Amino acid sequence: MATGVACTIGYDFIKAKMEKMVCEATGWPLEIDGPPFAFNKPSLDRVSWKGDYSPDNTRLVCWGVNNMLGRYGEEKLLDVATAIESRRSSESRQVG
């Protein structure tokens, strides 16, 4: 957890999120088993990295997604994903 960030979520909040076992960013299933830091391990994410761990600002996501979001946030990740998809589409049209 980030240093100096308030946390107002508790056990019941986390338990309710964990019962669904779905990444709130991707919709992908989360997995408990496997190595630590596996892509689909559950991880608490602050929707706004400037905010606290509050019910309105915290979601359960894949560890890998949370790692990629880092300080840049979802908008930057979406920009990167869009650029990758655009480049792949362009390259596949050139090959075919």
Side-chain angles (χ1 to χ4, degrees):
M1 193 171 318
T3 305
V5 176
C7 181
T8 59
I9 59 172
Y11 174 81
D12 290 336
F13 176 86
I14 296 170
K15 181 181 176 193
K17 298 282 187 183
M18 291 291 291
E19 285 174 354
K20 297 175 186 172
M21 289 301 288
V22 173
C23 173
E24 293 180 58
T26 65
W28 296 345
L30 298 172
E31 300 171 5
I32 295 292
D33 297 328
F37 307 112
F39 192 89
N40 279 13
K41 290 277 190 174
S43 178
L44 292 174
D45 172 51
R46 289 178 292 154
V47 176
S48 169
W49 66 271
K50 296 177 183 178
D52 297 330
Y53 284 95
S54 66
D56 292 338
N57 194 47
T58 306
R59 61 186 174 176
L60 189 67
V61 299
C62 303
W63 178 87
V65 168
N66 200 357
N67 191 40
M68 287 189 288
L69 290 171
R71 295 198 114 197
Y72 301 106
E74 196 165 324
E75 290 305 313
K76 183 56 80 177
L77 180 57
L78 289 171
D79 289 346
V80 170
T82 300
I84 291 170
E85 181 59 29
S86 176
R87 185 169 186 129
R88 282 184 173 183
S89 294
S90 175
E91 289 173 356
S92 68
R93 284 193 298 268
Q94 291 175 5
V95 172

